[in-house]
C-alpha cells in the first residue's frame, strides 16, 4: 500500500511518512514530524481520490499519526 501512496504525495513529503495499517475502510499513515502530519491531513481528500483510482475504492478515511519521539 505504501508503494501506492508515495507517488500521490508532493515530493517534499515523500519518505517522511509511511502506511502503518489498513483496517477495512481506514488507512493509517504515520508521519515522522508534526508538520508533515499537518500537511498530510490537508491532503486527505486528494489522497483518498488517488487511492480510489489505484484500486482501493473501499478506503473511506485516512488516519494520520505522528511517530512518537524515540
Amino acid at each position: 500500500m505504501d508503494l501506492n501512496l508515495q507517488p500521490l504525495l508532493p515530493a517534499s513529503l515523500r519518505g517522511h511518512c509511511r502506511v502503518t495499517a489498513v483496517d477495512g475502510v481506514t488507512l493509517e499513515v504515520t508521519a515522522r514530524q508534526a508538520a508533515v502530519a499537518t500537511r498530510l491531513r490537508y491532503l486527505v481528500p486528494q489522497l483518498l481520490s488517488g487511492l480510489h483510482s489505484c484500486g482501493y475504492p473501499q478506503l473511506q478515511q485516512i488516519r494520520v499519526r505522528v511517530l512518537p519521539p524515540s
Side-chain angles (χ1 to χ4, degrees):
M1 178 68 76
D2 204 40
L3 293 175
N4 292 309
L5 178 67
Q6 292 297 321
L8 300 174
L9 297 171
S12 61
L13 295 182
R14 293 180 193 149
H16 296 284
C17 58
R18 64 186 176 98
V19 173
T20 49
V22 180
D23 183 19
V25 298
T26 302
L27 178 72
E28 183 178 286
V29 178
T30 301
R32 292 183 182 178
Q33 301 170 340
V36 172
T38 299
R39 291 192 59 203
L40 284 171
R41 288 184 185 105
Y42 283 114
L43 293 171
V44 164
Q46 294 169 318
L47 295 174
L48 279 173
S49 178
L51 289 167
H52 290 165
S53 298
C54 289
Y56 298 96
Q58 74 278 12
L59 294 176
Q60 296 179 8
Q61 63 180 346
I62 296 176
R63 180 181 304 130
V64 180
R65 296 179 177 236
V66 179
L67 186 68
S70 51

